[in-house]
Amino acid sequence: MPEPYHVWLSEIMLQQTTVAAVIPYYERFVRRFPTVAALAAAPLDDVLSAWAGLGYYARARNLHACAQAVAAAGGFPRDLAGLRALPGIGDYTARAVGAIAFGVAAVPVDGNVERVVARLFGVTDRLPVAKPKLRGLADRLGADPDAVARPGDFAQALFDLGATVCTPAAPRCALCPWMAGCAARRGGIAAELPRRDAKPERPLRHGVHFWLLDAAGNVLLRRRPESGLLGGMTELPGTDWRAVPWDADEALVLAPMPAAWRRAGQVRHGFTHFALTIELFAARVERVAAEGFLHPVEELHAAALPSVMRKCVAMAAGNAAALSSRGADMSLRGADMSVRKAKRGSNPVHE
Ligand code: SF4
């Protein structure tokens, strides 16, 4: 049986993210935290920093909490109810870990499996309403004696079939082992399934953030509240993100301290449920006297910055015109180097 820690870690990383994007993160993570006990013992900041760029930071926080629960219990529970009770583990992950790591007869249903099942049984109901029906049909497939005998192999074969043969736009039915019995192929509607309700357009929000440097080449940062979006992550100080654009005068009242603030560019970022536009202001002062903490610009690559903040850093670094003094330009060059290092570890996932 595969190592439960590896199965669980990869399943958490793969939620909302592609295999290709996950592989380098997974390999780095396992090198840095080789066991669930090592992950449990690591400071949360180290975990968030190793996760930075993968998005959905609540997952990293739950990952850490789950590792601590598992380490305290002496190992992963081996049944679905026990797995579901752990932080960050829902029905899908419990089934995937249960089937692959412990041989529990359960079918994990992700988007790939939903697609295969919808086509195989010719389900034309729309998602998300069709989800329970597709789950029931997946369970019916999983009740096949061969699937019951090797639940982990069956689950992974389904994942692979969905990812490589029963692909979204152009299913390769001629290569499919289920071709003969597939209702959608017979009906000529394979590429149309599964049907789904149109997604509502993402609302747009606006924020202003501040890049404040001191004479020693440090930038002012702060930590976001523990709960909520990007909980516990580090950010440049800024305003709320709201539906109405910020007027510059209105926003500068909320700047961390009085300074010669200048516009340093605009950053756009897509989160799952909204799109965000950030107006970035930059200034340099001799000494920072504001809430937050100072961080050397040259070491920003090691900070637990979410992707949206890395974009802000890149914008500030690439816009040396935002600041005029030679000292500031030197600091910004340091930031540029940090950003390039950071980009090596990033992926295009929207957070
Ligand atoms: Fe998918 Fe085609 Fe196989 Fe049906 S026959 S399950 S549509 S690949």
Side-chain angles (χ1 to χ4, degrees):
M1 285 286 176
E3 164 62 46
Y5 171 55
H6 294 163
V7 176
W8 162 72
L9 181 62
S10 60
E11 287 301 333
I12 299 289
M13 285 188 166
L14 282 167
Q15 290 167 10
Q16 314 282 339
T17 311
T18 63
V19 173
V22 159
I23 287 171
Y25 282 89
Y26 174 83
E27 289 174 346
R28 268 201 306 276
F29 228 85
V30 171
R31 268 200 305 277
R32 193 159 167 189
F33 313 110
T35 63
V36 73
L39 180 57
L44 177 60
D45 267 359
D46 287 5
V47 178
L48 290 173
S49 156
W51 189 274
L54 263 179
Y56 301 95
Y57 293 95
R59 279 191 290 158
R61 303 165 66 73
N62 277 330
L63 187 86
H64 192 237
C66 184
Q68 290 180 327
V70 170
F76 282 90
R78 305 174 71 91
D79 61 295
L80 295 186
L83 287 165
R84 271 193 214 105
L86 289 168
I89 296 195
D91 185 60
Y92 165 79
T93 307
R95 284 168 172 256
V97 174
I100 298 168
F102 299 119
V104 176
V107 182
V109 181
D110 67 354
N112 281 331
V113 176
E114 276 179 351
R115 184 170 60 254
V116 173
V117 172
R119 289 172 175 174
L120 194 58
F121 292 94
V123 176
T124 53
D125 307 5
R126 292 183 183 279
L127 286 168
V129 171
K131 273 181 182 291
K133 186 176 194 173
L134 296 177
R135 216 170 288 141
L137 292 168
D139 282 342
R140 200 199 290 179
L141 289 176
D144 181 280
D146 286 341
V148 171
R150 293 161 60 193
D153 288 344
F154 183 71
Q156 292 180 90
L158 261 184
F159 295 156
D160 287 349
L161 187 73
T164 62
V165 177
C166 196
T167 50
R172 302 156 77 194
C173 299
L175 301 177
C176 181
W178 282 337
M179 184 177 79
C182 178
R185 187 197 63 83
R186 272 201 312 274
I189 55 169
E192 294 169 28
L193 300 185
R195 296 192 175 134
R196 58 185 77 241
D197 288 339
K199 277 191 183 163
E201 215 169 278
R202 280 187 303 181
L204 179 60
R205 292 195 197 164
H206 303 267
V208 175
H209 282 265
F210 302 98
W211 170 264
L212 182 60
L213 288 173
D214 72 6
N218 299 304
V219 63
L220 179 67
L221 298 176
R222 70 180 181 187
R223 189 180 293 274
R224 290 180 64 84
E226 290 297 316
S227 59
L229 184 67
L230 308 180
M233 301 294 289
T234 303
E235 67 173 6
L236 300 176
T239 65
D240 290 341
W241 298 339
R242 68 182 195 187
V244 182
W246 289 85
D247 178 77
D249 291 343
E250 181 192 17
L252 287 175
V253 170
L254 301 172
M257 63 180 283
W261 291 104
R262 302 184 188 186
R263 281 189 190 278
Q266 190 181 72
V267 168
R268 292 171 193 272
H269 190 75
F271 290 93
T272 314
H273 300 297
F274 65 93
L276 176 66
T277 299
I278 289 177
E279 298 294 340
L280 192 63
F281 282 79
R284 180 173 182 267
V285 293
E286 206 45 39
R287 222 183 112 257
V288 170
E291 271 184 35
F293 58 92
L294 293 169
H295 192 96
V297 168
E298 277 78 4
E299 291 168 22
L300 276 175
H301 62 278
L305 290 173
S307 298
V308 60
M309 285 298 136
R310 291 195 182 276
K311 286 185 186 175
C312 290
V313 169
M315 176 65 75
N319 192 351
L323 300 175
S324 55
S325 79
R326 186 167 173 276
D329 285 352
M330 287 171 70
S331 297
L332 286 169
R333 270 199 289 279
D336 194 26
M337 285 178 61
S338 301
V339 169
R340 258 182 259 127
K341 282 183 207 164
K343 277 190 169 171
R344 284 206 300 266
S346 70
N347 67 47
V349 174
H350 281 179
E351 296 165 352

